[in-house]
Amino acid sequence: MRWPMFKQVDRLVAMAVLTAVGMTWVTLVALDAFRIFIIEINEVGQGQYSLTKAAAYVLLTVPRRFYEMFGYSALIGGLLGLGGLANSGELTALRAAGLSKLRICASVALGLGVLTIAVALLGETLGPFGERKAQALSLAAKSKDVALAKGGALWARDGETVISAKRGHTRGGEIDLAGVRVFEFDGEGRLLSLSVADGALHTQGDWTLRNVRRTEFSPESAMSTQHAEARWKSGLDPHLLAAGIIQTQYMPLRDLSRNIDYLDRNRQDASSFRNAYWARIFYPFNVLVLVFCAVPFAFGALRSGGLSKRLFLGIVLALGFQLLQNAIVNFGVINGIHSALANTFPPLILIAAAFAYFRRNA
């Protein structure tokens, strides 16, 4: 006889929370998109980059921004939704009816579960697709020498030289390109040489090709040489190339996995891709754990400091969790701990702290 009541309770709590999450989500994404649009306006006039293209660029990145902002929106919306129930007395009524804080928090997590799955799918489909289209639009308008091809391949021109790279990533001030081909032409468009390299690293103003095979062509013959490393003189703007590289946190799982396999096969450092891969795997779990552990701050809002105090404490918890996660993941990278294991520790610590709280304040 009690199960229907529990279903009604879940519906009541879920609707209150999801409504607040939706309003918070749209507001945060709109503010973030407007902030980026203001920044892009400063780029208008560079090449053929117009105000219309700036607006299109921002709109194409909106799906990715929805994905990024969901965790903060779920946390703040969960606190606001339960705070609204507390202000109306409904939360007190639920507690008086015998529902524990743990049970009410489970209703919040249940309501957000389906939405979290949908957001995870967004981060694997429309988010990366829109980001690639936005980067391609921006590069094509701002420069005639750098372009993104289908699949994220990077093409650039430096005088009579054409360069292509299958993928790339940035690390601090370094730019690392993988699957590099360098085509050198003469003034009449004839191919003089082709260099195929596993990668190219730009650091401290110089380019270095790794494991490069260079073939020089003449009307009568072709001659090939192999080098473990070779200097590459190029006037390419590394900042413009960096703008054309899709950041690891914006890549879907399939692209991250492909990059990890490629770098591992060539005995190169794949830590940045591996960290991004496991961070994306744990993303839905981390969101639900964070919301589940933060919503207790909404209880008793009217009795001790008001909702603003609880909201502030919840946001502090979110920032603390993010700092803890970054610290543990970076510690794992330095000490050779697998990224999957390193990403497991922060939510487990938070869950342990939450259950200790629930046992003391059931």
Side-chain angles (χ1 to χ4, degrees), residues 286-334:
N286 286 340
V287 169
L288 292 178
V289 167
L290 187 59
V291 172
F292 182 84
C293 297
V295 291
F297 290 111
F299 291 98
L302 295 178
R303 296 193 303 271
S304 58
L307 180 60
S308 59
K309 175 183 176 181
R310 303 294 175 175
L311 186 61
F312 172 76
L313 292 175
I315 294 174
V316 169
L317 175 64
L319 294 176
F321 175 75
Q322 186 175 14
L323 291 174
L324 175 67
Q325 187 177 38
N326 291 338
I328 292 179
V329 169
N330 290 334
F331 177 82
V333 171
I334 294 173

Side-chain angles (χ1 to χ4, degrees), residues 23 70 77 110 139 161 165 247 265 269 324:
M23 295 176 62
F70 177 68
L110 180 65
L139 281 175
T161 303
Q247 300 300 314
R265 286 198 308 270
D269 181 20
L324 175 67

Side-chain angles (χ1 to χ4, degrees), residues 157-292:
R157 180 177 179 179
D158 178 20
E160 302 299 331
T161 303
V162 176
I163 302 98
S164 74
K166 293 182 179 179
R167 61 190 69 88
H169 66 282
T170 58
R171 295 177 298 185
E174 299 180 348
I175 300 174
D176 197 351
L177 304 177
V180 176
R181 290 179 294 175
V182 181
F183 304 85
E184 296 183 40
F185 299 90
D186 63 15
E188 297 180 0
R190 289 189 293 264
L191 183 63
L192 296 178
S193 68
L194 168 63
S195 299
V196 180
D198 287 344
L201 180 65
H202 183 275
T203 177
Q204 298 180 351
D206 293 324
W207 286 97
T208 302
L209 296 175
R210 299 188 303 270
N211 191 20
V212 56
R213 180 182 180 87
R214 177 180 172 85
T215 303
E216 296 182 356
F217 301 95
S218 67
E220 296 80 17
S221 63
M223 183 177 65
S224 295
T225 55
Q226 188 83 24
H227 304 280
E229 286 189 351
R231 292 287 298 276
W232 173 27
K233 294 182 179 181
S234 175
L236 286 174
D237 185 354
H239 298 291
L240 197 57
L241 285 178
I245 296 174
I246 304 298
Q247 300 300 314
T248 54
Q249 64 267 29
Y250 303 153
M251 292 182 179
L253 286 172
R254 63 180 180 276
D255 289 349
L256 290 170
S257 179
R258 185 166 60 245
N259 279 281
I260 291 170
D261 291 341
Y262 172 84
L263 292 172
D264 285 343
R265 286 198 308 270
N266 291 276
R267 299 181 180 180
Q268 298 177 33
D269 181 20
S271 59
S272 61
F273 290 97
R274 189 170 284 109
N275 288 339
Y277 179 88
W278 286 107
R280 189 172 287 273
I281 289 289
F282 276 88
Y283 176 82
F285 179 65
N286 286 340
V287 169
L288 292 178
V289 167
L290 187 59
V291 172
F292 182 84

Side-chain angles (χ1 to χ4, degrees), residues 5 36 40 42 49-50 75 80 85 137 143 146 170 181-182 197-198 212 221 226-227 230 249 266 274 284 326 350:
M5 184 191 73
I36 296 300
E40 290 300 313
N42 295 326
Y49 198 57
S50 63
L75 171 62
L80 292 176
L85 293 177
L137 171 68
S143 174
V146 182
T170 58
R181 290 179 294 175
V182 181
D198 287 344
V212 56
S221 63
Q226 188 83 24
H227 304 280
Q249 64 267 29
N266 291 276
R274 189 170 284 109
N326 291 338
L350 199 59

Side-chain angles (χ1 to χ4, degrees), residues 25 62-64 66-67 117-128:
W25 200 11
V62 164
R64 187 259 295 173
F66 268 109
Y67 175 81
I117 293 174
V119 171
L121 292 176
L122 176 69
E124 291 298 308
T125 53
L126 287 179

Side-chain angles (χ1 to χ4, degrees), residues 117-156:
I117 293 174
V119 171
L121 292 176
L122 176 69
E124 291 298 308
T125 53
L126 287 179
F129 174 80
E131 187 67 25
R132 285 196 299 269
K133 290 294 185 181
Q135 295 291 351
L137 171 68
S138 177
L139 281 175
K142 294 178 181 178
S143 174
K144 296 181 180 180
D145 295 329
V146 182
L148 282 177
K150 185 177 180 181
L154 185 69
W155 287 85

Side-chain angles (χ1 to χ4, degrees), residues 56-86:
Y57 170 85
V58 174
L59 289 176
L60 285 169
T61 63
V62 164
R64 187 259 295 173
R65 298 183 195 283
F66 268 109
Y67 175 81
E68 290 181 331
M69 292 294 176
F70 177 68
Y72 301 105
S73 304
L75 171 62
I76 297 174
L79 292 170
L80 292 176
L82 282 183
L85 293 177

